[in-house]
Amino acid sequence: VVKAARAGKHIFCEKPIDHSLEKIDRALDAVEKAGVKLQVGFNRRFDANFERVRRSIATGEIGTPHLLHIVSRDPGPPPISYIRVSGGMFLDMTIHDFDMARFLMQDEVTEVYTSASVRVDPEIGAAGDVDTAVIMLRFAGGAIGTIDNCRQAPYGYDQRVEVLGSLGSVETENRYPNRAVISTAESVRRDLPLNFFMERYSDSFTSELRAFVDAVLQDKPAPVSGIDGRIPVVMALAAKKSYEEGRPVRLAEIGERETRVEAVTR
Amino acid sequence: VVKAARAGKHIFCEKPIDHSLEKIDRALDAVEKAGVKLQVGFNRRFDANFERVRRSIATGEIGTPHLLHIVSRDPGPPPISYIRVSGGMFLDMTIHDFDMARFLMQDEVTEVYTSASVRVDPEIGAAGDVDTAVIMLRFAGGAIGTIDNCRQAPYGYDQRVEVLGSLGSVETENRYPNRAVISTAESVRRDLPLNFFMERYSDSFTSELRAFVDAVLQDKPAPVSGIDGRIPVVMALAAKKSYEEGRPVRLAEIGERETRVEAVTR
Amino acid sequence: VVKAARAGKHIFCEKPIDHSLEKIDRALDAVEKAGVKLQVGFNRRFDANFERVRRSIATGEIGTPHLLHIVSRDPGPPPISYIRVSGGMFLDMTIHDFDMARFLMQDEVTEVYTSASVRVDPEIGAAGDVDTAVIMLRFAGGAIGTIDNCRQAPYGYDQRVEVLGSLGSVETENRYPNRAVISTAESVRRDLPLNFFMERYSDSFTSELRAFVDAVLQDKPAPVSGIDGRIPVVMALAAKKSYEEGRPVRLAEIGERETRVEAVTR
Amino acid sequence: VVKAARAGKHIFCEKPIDHSLEKIDRALDAVEKAGVKLQVGFNRRFDANFERVRRSIATGEIGTPHLLHIVSRDPGPPPISYIRVSGGMFLDMTIHDFDMARFLMQDEVTEVYTSASVRVDPEIGAAGDVDTAVIMLRFAGGAIGTIDNCRQAPYGYDQRVEVLGSLGSVETENRYPNRAVISTAESVRRDLPLNFFMERYSDSFTSELRAFVDAVLQDKPAPVSGIDGRIPVVMALAAKKSYEEGRPVRLAEIGERETRVEAVTR
């Protein structure tokens, strides 16, 4: 990021920008100084389901949001070699859900509390990581959120959200390769959901890159900013600290920077 | 029915009243002469799903109905000994669907066309009956209906309807013992629907008897009248004739009597 | 088609090839003589839902098919000027469903019976066409099918199929822009299904053209042959005749040619 | 309970037995001394959905459970006068969910963490209570649970659970008065779920009383024991303490007694 910014290039950067807030801040400073655009790869913001949920809150369709529940489970764990360099589940996997929480609720999280375990593979524990966790979020506006993570959902990739508001609720279902239901003497069944992110989020990957190109061509702000890339890292570090110390942790303990939820202008 | 009417008793009579229109007319005359109440056992009118469909038409929620589709399949065929005395599938099984068509559409059928086969068990064919059929209905008001019948649905009792109207459509799902969905590495599945009429329609059996008792105690018209019992027999005879002669058959060919759709006053 | 064949070009031709069987036969003869490939634009064969239904039959998952029900309704009628040159609803709209019936059941239709009305717009009737119809199909193997057509489904494009077989059933749902469910004090609701063929079948249009290109590049048979293009026209002409004469019509009355269901080799 | 036990009567007692553990223990001691049966009114154990979820765990269908999520929301808050004497949301409302957590997971909770707010009505806050909460549960076996509570779900009574296990997941849907889906130009919608506990749990109320009568008549253990009535009160007191002190609270801090999950023997 720093090199590209100095070269005057607009930047699309995958998440997380870095595991270190210091390095992230240096990168964001370089971007600001160079006046280039930086978009962070939180592709799930461009998924039609999650856009619809955000819209139901943004338009007041479900009123003031009170409770958020994010289910985010992978079909299976990555290799242990990857686990070791991943920064841990919170920085590697939950980071998408931290961003999703902010994106949907259009509010900032002030405190997190983590309960986590090694349930899927003891090797993951031996590598110093966890594979199953629930992270509770407290939002500035008083709403409460939960993120339900597991490295292994035997039926495939499980990506759903649900929000309860003062006027109603909204919930999303997984995406499937087809909508056929087969009924036999054994069961009423359907095929498994789309297996992993390349299938499930193929549309959103296209849309996020189109949005980046649009931002560059039309000189608009990138729809997922550098600050949007930094805050989930703060949340992940707080979630990790909460897990290690067995207590709720305020984000202010980790280090805040001026935050603002950027509107996705599409 | 004739004996009970002469004895001055109010009558609850299972469907069909008889396989012979002459006998039905003698029964209805006896009822009329005695001034007693007669309710015919078309229990499905009291099912919450079908009541809701009727209401969506009665209130104009889906506008003028254009197309009706009734799926009515048993989990498995009855014994051949029963088939032989049943009067045939149209009088024994489809008779409920003929009543349902009138009940939902609040209109009379003027013509039917039947396509039928022996698909489930050759013994049924040997007994002179069919086990699989589609009956097309033409309503006085111009709407078109189809009834989809089979003596064997391996997943259990299949009882659904769907109506397309000028403003929208309504469709119903089967009823299940529970609403649990189980997702494993093989499939996303649920338990089979309620297996047969005793489970599926237990609520409606209670409601139809309560309605009969109410009609007697409060001296109101019975909600399913003798004419409501006669017309489906006419439809069944026409459906059988259509199957035998391979052509559409008008109900007027079978013998009509003044008909009127009785409102279910509940 | 004739000109392209004579020029030695491989041909992708939209449906129907023509409204006249004579012209179709001249086209098919030219294609055969030139030894070029001809693929007819029945794109729905490439839809993931319908492919899954076909697979459930091809693999024996639901056993021998007994009953087929195709729902095919447009969101709204085309302009009257188009209706006048369309060849009528059976050749213009139902033609896709005639092909779908063959594709799914992997069997040929021998007889059709049509019930049709003008329900949506009297102008369509004045133009000599119908806008609402049910067409009953009789398959060579003894199965029975129904096609449920309407030029207007107020909720959008309605494209579903359902098959009952000896071991079970398969049914498909419409496709939606998202899977969000919104619950408020009024209802539990979701957004409308994808509105029309450009949205609903966008994936299948891509797949059918890829299949055509593959057939040409790898010198394989085109997955939807000229015969596959001809037979639905025969079915449409029979459906029209059935409607006009109020009786079941055998396809042999219209004119048959050697038929064979081509496997979609993908 | 004490008086009835002394009088030698078998006892069916609504939940919670009391808000004070001392009084509960006196009651349980009186029951034990008298040798009478005591069944506590956790009726939801007798609901077909939740029985199915328990079964999916008991039979190993979804493997070892890792994550539990309970959604339990009332259609609207009770009068403030009731709130004042209710013992607070955790003892009044969540108590059912504490029991459900034990019943489903067949394991004991060792620690809870509560995040709660006043979101629905400031009067509830003025009365010293909360109306919206998430309670995180830590099970002895390492699984993690969340209970999602709100005194107001505008669409009606929301009662669902979801469990992820090592081999799959199970989730339940709400129960509805009918299964009709209405599609119009505005939306694809259905009627609201059954509004409150009298409708939603009518079957389970019948079943729990039948089970009590069976236990008495056949001299079997009552399916929901006195200990089953005591433990959720411990959980509620721990949840309240967690909320007041902003930290996870172990149940051992509140006071434990020998615990054992009683099998529902039906």
Side-chain angles (χ1 to χ4, degrees), chain D residues 123-182:
Chain D
E123 292 285 312
I124 293 175
D129 203 358
V130 293
D131 54 34
T132 305
V134 177
I135 301 104
M136 199 183 284
L137 311 174
R138 188 83 194 193
F139 288 87
I144 305 167
T146 40
I147 298 172
D148 165 317
N149 278 162
C150 190
R151 286 284 195 185
Q152 182 168 72
Y155 47 90
Y157 203 36
D158 197 346
Q159 300 279 299
R160 291 169 288 142
V161 306
E162 180 174 332
V163 183
L164 172 70
S166 56
L167 298 180
S169 75
V170 58
E171 60 183 309
T172 59
E173 201 196 345
N174 281 314
R175 292 184 60 192
Y176 288 79
N178 63 67
R179 308 298 309 175
V181 174
I182 291 122

Coordinates of all heavy atoms in Angstrom, one line a residue, chain D residues 123-182:
Chain D
E123 N -40.3 2.9 30.4 CA -40.9 2.6 31.7 C -40.4 1.3 32.3 O -40.4 1.1 33.5 CB -42.5 2.4 31.4 CG -43.2 3.7 31.0 CD -43.4 4.6 32.3 OE1 -43.8 4.1 33.3 OE2 -43.0 5.8 32.1
I124 N -40.0 0.3 31.4 CA -39.5 -0.9 31.9 C -38.2 -0.7 32.6 O -37.9 -1.2 33.6 CB -39.3 -1.9 30.7 CG1 -40.7 -2.3 30.2 CG2 -38.5 -3.2 31.1 CD1 -40.7 -3.2 28.9
G125 N -37.4 0.3 32.0 CA -36.1 0.6 32.7 C -36.4 1.3 34.0 O -35.7 1.1 35.0
A126 N -37.4 2.2 34.0 CA -37.7 2.9 35.2 C -38.2 2.0 36.3 O -38.0 2.2 37.5 CB -38.8 4.0 34.9
A127 N -38.7 0.8 35.9 CA -39.1 -0.2 36.9 C -38.0 -1.1 37.3 O -38.2 -2.1 38.0 CB -40.3 -1.0 36.3
G128 N -36.8 -0.8 36.8 CA -35.6 -1.5 37.2 C -35.3 -2.8 36.4 O -34.5 -3.6 36.8
D129 N -36.0 -2.9 35.3 CA -35.8 -4.1 34.5 C -35.2 -3.8 33.1 O -35.0 -2.6 32.8 CB -37.1 -4.8 34.3 CG -37.0 -6.3 34.0 OD1 -35.8 -6.8 33.9 OD2 -38.0 -7.0 33.9
V130 N -34.9 -4.8 32.3 CA -34.4 -4.6 30.9 C -35.5 -5.3 30.0 O -36.3 -6.1 30.5 CB -33.0 -5.2 30.7 CG1 -32.0 -4.5 31.4 CG2 -33.1 -6.7 31.1
D131 N -35.4 -5.0 28.7 CA -36.4 -5.6 27.8 C -35.7 -6.3 26.6 O -36.4 -6.9 25.8 CB -37.4 -4.6 27.4 CG -36.8 -3.3 26.8 OD1 -35.8 -3.4 26.1 OD2 -37.4 -2.2 26.9
T132 N -34.4 -6.2 26.5 CA -33.7 -6.7 25.4 C -32.4 -7.3 25.9 O -31.7 -6.5 26.7 CB -33.4 -5.6 24.3 OG1 -34.7 -5.0 24.0 CG2 -32.8 -6.2 23.1
A133 N -32.0 -8.5 25.6 CA -30.8 -9.1 26.2 C -30.3 -10.2 25.3 O -31.0 -10.8 24.6 CB -31.1 -9.6 27.6
V134 N -29.0 -10.3 25.4 CA -28.3 -11.5 24.9 C -27.5 -12.2 26.0 O -26.8 -11.4 26.7 CB -27.4 -11.3 23.7 CG1 -26.7 -12.5 23.2 CG2 -28.2 -10.6 22.5
I135 N -27.8 -13.4 26.3 CA -27.1 -14.1 27.3 C -26.2 -15.2 26.7 O -26.7 -16.1 26.0 CB -28.0 -14.7 28.4 CG1 -28.9 -13.6 29.0 CG2 -27.2 -15.5 29.5 CD1 -30.3 -13.6 28.5
M136 N -24.9 -15.1 27.0 CA -24.0 -16.1 26.4 C -23.8 -17.2 27.5 O -23.7 -16.9 28.7 CB -22.7 -15.5 26.1 CG -21.9 -16.3 25.1 SD -20.2 -15.6 24.8 CE -20.7 -14.3 23.7
L137 N -23.9 -18.5 27.0 CA -23.8 -19.6 27.9 C -22.5 -20.4 27.6 O -22.2 -20.6 26.4 CB -25.0 -20.5 27.7 CG -26.3 -19.9 27.7 CD1 -27.4 -21.0 27.4 CD2 -26.7 -19.3 29.1
R138 N -21.8 -20.9 28.6 CA -20.7 -21.8 28.5 C -21.1 -23.1 29.1 O -21.4 -23.2 30.3 CB -19.5 -21.2 29.2 CG -18.2 -21.9 28.9 CD -17.6 -21.4 27.6 NE -16.5 -22.3 27.2 CZ -15.6 -22.0 26.3 NH1 -15.7 -20.9 25.7 NH2 -14.7 -22.9 25.9
F139 N -21.1 -24.2 28.3 CA -21.5 -25.5 28.8 C -20.3 -26.3 29.3 O -19.1 -26.0 28.9 CB -22.1 -26.3 27.7 CG -23.5 -25.8 27.3 CD1 -23.6 -24.8 26.3 CD2 -24.6 -26.3 27.9 CE1 -24.9 -24.3 26.0 CE2 -25.9 -25.9 27.6 CZ -26.0 -24.9 26.6
A140 N -20.5 -27.2 30.3 CA -19.5 -28.0 30.9 C -18.7 -28.7 29.8 O -17.4 -28.8 29.9 CB -20.1 -29.0 31.8
G141 N -19.3 -29.2 28.7 CA -18.7 -29.9 27.7 C -17.9 -29.1 26.7 O -17.4 -29.6 25.7
G142 N -17.9 -27.7 26.9 CA -17.2 -26.9 26.0 C -18.0 -26.1 24.9 O -17.5 -25.3 24.2
A143 N -19.3 -26.5 24.7 CA -20.1 -25.9 23.8 C -20.5 -24.4 24.2 O -20.4 -24.1 25.4 CB -21.4 -26.7 23.5
I144 N -20.8 -23.6 23.3 CA -21.2 -22.2 23.6 C -22.6 -22.0 23.1 O -23.0 -22.4 22.0 CB -20.2 -21.2 22.8 CG1 -18.8 -21.6 23.1 CG2 -20.5 -19.8 23.2 CD1 -17.8 -20.9 22.2
G145 N -23.4 -21.2 23.9 CA -24.7 -20.9 23.6 C -25.0 -19.5 23.7 O -24.4 -18.7 24.4
T146 N -26.1 -19.0 22.9 CA -26.6 -17.7 23.1 C -28.1 -17.7 23.1 O -28.7 -18.5 22.4 CB -26.1 -16.8 21.9 OG1 -26.3 -17.5 20.7 CG2 -24.7 -16.2 22.0
I147 N -28.6 -16.8 24.0 CA -30.1 -16.7 24.1 C -30.3 -15.2 23.7 O -29.7 -14.3 24.2 CB -30.6 -16.9 25.5 CG1 -30.3 -18.4 25.9 CG2 -32.0 -16.6 25.6 CD1 -30.6 -18.7 27.4
D148 N -31.2 -15.1 22.7 CA -31.6 -13.8 22.1 C -33.0 -13.4 22.6 O -33.9 -14.0 22.1 CB -31.4 -13.9 20.6 CG -32.0 -12.8 19.8 OD1 -33.2 -12.4 20.1 OD2 -31.4 -12.4 18.8
N149 N -33.1 -12.5 23.5 CA -34.4 -12.1 24.1 C -34.9 -10.7 23.8 O -34.0 -9.8 23.8 CB -34.3 -12.2 25.6 CG -34.5 -13.6 26.2 OD1 -34.1 -13.8 27.4 ND2 -35.0 -14.5 25.5
C150 N -36.1 -10.6 23.5 CA -36.7 -9.2 23.4 C -38.2 -9.3 23.9 O -38.8 -10.2 23.5 CB -36.5 -8.6 22.0 SG -36.9 -6.8 22.0
R151 N -38.6 -8.3 24.6 CA -40.0 -8.2 25.0 C -40.9 -7.8 23.9 O -42.1 -7.9 24.1 CB -40.1 -7.2 26.2 CG -39.6 -7.6 27.5 CD -40.5 -8.7 28.2 NE -40.2 -8.8 29.6 CZ -40.8 -9.7 30.4 NH1 -41.7 -10.5 29.9 NH2 -40.4 -9.8 31.7
Q152 N -40.4 -7.5 22.7 CA -41.3 -7.0 21.7 C -40.8 -7.4 20.3 O -39.8 -6.9 19.8 CB -41.4 -5.5 21.7 CG -42.4 -5.0 20.6 CD -42.8 -3.6 20.8 OE1 -42.0 -2.7 20.6 NE2 -44.0 -3.4 21.3
A153 N -41.5 -8.4 19.6 CA -41.2 -8.7 18.2 C -42.5 -8.3 17.5 O -43.6 -9.0 17.7 CB -41.0 -10.2 18.1
P154 N -42.5 -7.3 16.7 CA -43.7 -6.7 16.2 C -44.5 -7.7 15.3 O -45.7 -7.5 15.2 CB -43.2 -5.5 15.3 CG -41.9 -5.2 15.9 CD -41.3 -6.4 16.4
Y155 N -43.9 -8.7 14.8 CA -44.5 -9.7 14.0 C -45.1 -10.9 14.8 O -45.7 -11.8 14.2 CB -43.5 -10.3 12.9 CG -42.2 -10.6 13.6 CD1 -42.0 -11.9 14.0 CD2 -41.2 -9.7 13.7 CE1 -40.8 -12.2 14.7 CE2 -40.0 -10.0 14.3 CZ -39.8 -11.3 14.8 OH -38.6 -11.6 15.4
G156 N -45.0 -10.8 16.1 CA -45.5 -11.9 16.9 C -44.5 -12.7 17.7 O -43.3 -12.3 17.7
Y157 N -44.9 -13.8 18.2 CA -44.1 -14.6 19.1 C -43.0 -15.3 18.3 O -43.3 -16.0 17.3 CB -45.1 -15.6 19.7 CG -44.7 -16.3 21.0 CD1 -44.0 -15.6 22.0 CD2 -45.0 -17.6 21.2 CE1 -43.7 -16.3 23.2 CE2 -44.8 -18.3 22.4 CZ -44.1 -17.6 23.4 OH -43.8 -18.2 24.6
D158 N -41.8 -15.1 18.7 CA -40.7 -15.7 17.9 C -39.9 -16.7 18.8 O -39.3 -16.3 19.7 CB -39.7 -14.5 17.5 CG -38.8 -14.9 16.3 OD1 -38.7 -16.2 16.1 OD2 -38.2 -14.1 15.7
Q159 N -40.0 -17.9 18.4 CA -39.5 -19.0 19.2 C -38.8 -20.0 18.3 O -39.4 -20.9 17.7 CB -40.7 -19.7 19.9 CG -41.5 -18.8 20.8 CD -40.9 -18.7 22.2 OE1 -40.7 -19.6 22.9 NE2 -40.5 -17.4 22.5
R160 N -37.5 -19.9 18.2 CA -36.7 -20.7 17.4 C -35.4 -21.2 18.0 O -34.9 -20.4 18.9 CB -36.3 -20.0 16.1 CG -37.5 -19.7 15.2 CD -37.1 -18.7 14.1 NE -36.9 -17.4 14.6 CZ -35.9 -16.6 14.2 NH1 -35.1 -16.9 13.2 NH2 -35.8 -15.4 14.7
V161 N -34.9 -22.3 17.6 CA -33.5 -22.7 18.1 C -32.7 -23.2 16.9 O -33.3 -23.6 15.9 CB -33.6 -23.7 19.2 CG1 -34.5 -23.3 20.4 CG2 -34.0 -25.1 18.6
E162 N -31.4 -23.2 17.1 CA -30.5 -23.6 16.1 C -29.3 -24.2 16.8 O -28.8 -23.6 17.7 CB -30.1 -22.5 15.2 CG -29.2 -22.9 14.1 CD -28.9 -21.7 13.1 OE1 -29.7 -20.8 13.0 OE2 -27.7 -21.7 12.6
V163 N -28.9 -25.4 16.4 CA -27.7 -26.0 16.9 C -26.7 -26.5 15.8 O -27.2 -27.1 14.8 CB -28.1 -27.3 17.8 CG1 -26.8 -27.9 18.4 CG2 -29.1 -26.9 18.8
L164 N -25.5 -26.1 16.0 CA -24.4 -26.6 15.1 C -23.7 -27.7 15.8 O -23.2 -27.6 16.9 CB -23.5 -25.5 14.7 CG -22.2 -26.0 13.9 CD1 -22.6 -26.5 12.5 CD2 -21.1 -25.0 13.8
G165 N -23.6 -28.9 15.1 CA -22.8 -30.0 15.7 C -21.7 -30.4 14.8 O -21.5 -29.8 13.7
S166 N -21.0 -31.4 15.2 CA -19.8 -31.9 14.4 C -20.2 -32.5 13.1 O -19.4 -32.6 12.1 CB -18.9 -32.8 15.2 OG -19.8 -33.9 15.6
L167 N -21.4 -33.0 13.0 CA -21.9 -33.6 11.7 C -22.9 -32.9 11.0 O -23.3 -33.3 9.9 CB -22.4 -35.0 12.0 CG -21.5 -36.0 12.7 CD1 -22.2 -37.4 12.9 CD2 -20.3 -36.2 11.7
G168 N -23.4 -31.8 11.5 CA -24.4 -31.0 10.9 C -25.1 -30.0 11.8 O -24.7 -29.9 12.9
S169 N -26.2 -29.4 11.3 CA -26.9 -28.5 12.1 C -28.4 -28.8 12.1 O -28.9 -29.5 11.2 CB -26.7 -27.0 11.6 OG -27.4 -26.8 10.4
V170 N -29.1 -28.3 13.0 CA -30.6 -28.4 13.0 C -31.1 -27.0 13.4 O -30.6 -26.3 14.3 CB -31.1 -29.5 14.0 CG1 -30.6 -29.2 15.4 CG2 -32.6 -29.6 14.0
E171 N -32.2 -26.6 12.7 CA -32.8 -25.3 13.1 C -34.3 -25.4 12.9 O -34.8 -26.2 12.1 CB -32.3 -24.2 12.2 CG -32.5 -24.4 10.7 CD -31.9 -23.3 9.9 OE1 -32.2 -22.1 10.2 OE2 -31.2 -23.6 8.9
T172 N -35.0 -24.7 13.7 CA -36.5 -24.8 13.7 C -37.1 -23.4 13.2 O -36.5 -22.4 13.5 CB -37.1 -25.1 15.0 OG1 -36.7 -24.2 16.0 CG2 -36.6 -26.5 15.5
E173 N -38.2 -23.5 12.6 CA -39.0 -22.3 12.2 C -40.1 -22.1 13.2 O -40.5 -23.0 13.9 CB -39.6 -22.7 10.8 CG -39.9 -21.6 9.9 CD -40.8 -22.0 8.8 OE1 -40.9 -23.3 8.5 OE2 -41.5 -21.2 8.1
N174 N -40.7 -20.9 13.1 CA -41.9 -20.6 13.9 C -43.1 -21.4 13.4 O -43.0 -22.0 12.3 CB -42.2 -19.1 13.9 CG -41.3 -18.3 14.8 OD1 -41.1 -18.7 16.0 ND2 -40.7 -17.2 14.4
R175 N -44.1 -21.4 14.2 CA -45.4 -22.1 13.8 C -46.4 -21.0 13.4 O -46.5 -20.0 14.0 CB -45.9 -22.9 14.9 CG -45.0 -24.2 15.2 CD -45.6 -25.1 16.2 NE -46.9 -25.6 15.8 CZ -47.8 -26.2 16.6 NH1 -47.4 -26.4 17.9 NH2 -48.9 -26.6 16.2
Y176 N -47.1 -21.3 12.3 CA -48.0 -20.4 11.7 C -49.5 -20.9 11.7 O -49.7 -22.1 11.7 CB -47.6 -20.1 10.3 CG -46.3 -19.3 10.1 CD1 -45.1 -19.9 10.3 CD2 -46.4 -18.0 9.9 CE1 -43.9 -19.2 10.2 CE2 -45.2 -17.2 9.8 CZ -44.0 -17.8 10.0 OH -42.8 -17.1 9.9
P177 N -50.4 -20.0 11.7 CA -51.8 -20.5 11.6 C -52.1 -21.2 10.3 O -53.1 -22.0 10.3 CB -52.6 -19.2 11.7 CG -51.7 -18.1 11.3 CD -50.3 -18.6 11.7
N178 N -51.4 -21.0 9.3 CA -51.6 -21.7 8.0 C -50.3 -21.6 7.2 O -49.4 -20.9 7.6 CB -52.8 -21.1 7.2 CG -52.6 -19.7 6.8 OD1 -51.7 -19.4 6.0 ND2 -53.3 -18.7 7.4
R179 N -50.3 -22.4 6.1 CA -49.1 -22.4 5.3 C -49.3 -21.8 3.9 O -48.6 -22.1 2.9 CB -48.6 -23.9 5.1 CG -48.4 -24.7 6.3 CD -47.4 -24.3 7.3 NE -46.1 -24.0 6.8 CZ -45.1 -23.5 7.5 NH1 -45.3 -23.2 8.7 NH2 -43.9 -23.3 6.9
A180 N -50.2 -20.9 3.9 CA -50.5 -20.2 2.6 C -49.5 -19.1 2.3 O -49.2 -18.3 3.2 CB -51.9 -19.6 2.6
V181 N -49.1 -19.0 1.1 CA -48.2 -17.9 0.6 C -48.9 -17.1 -0.4 O -49.5 -17.7 -1.4 CB -46.9 -18.5 0.0 CG1 -46.0 -17.4 -0.6 CG2 -46.1 -19.2 1.1
I182 N -49.0 -15.8 -0.3 CA -49.8 -15.0 -1.2 C -48.8 -14.1 -1.9 O -48.0 -13.4 -1.3 CB -50.8 -14.1 -0.4 CG1 -51.9 -15.0 0.1 CG2 -51.4 -13.0 -1.3 CD1 -52.1 -15.0 1.6

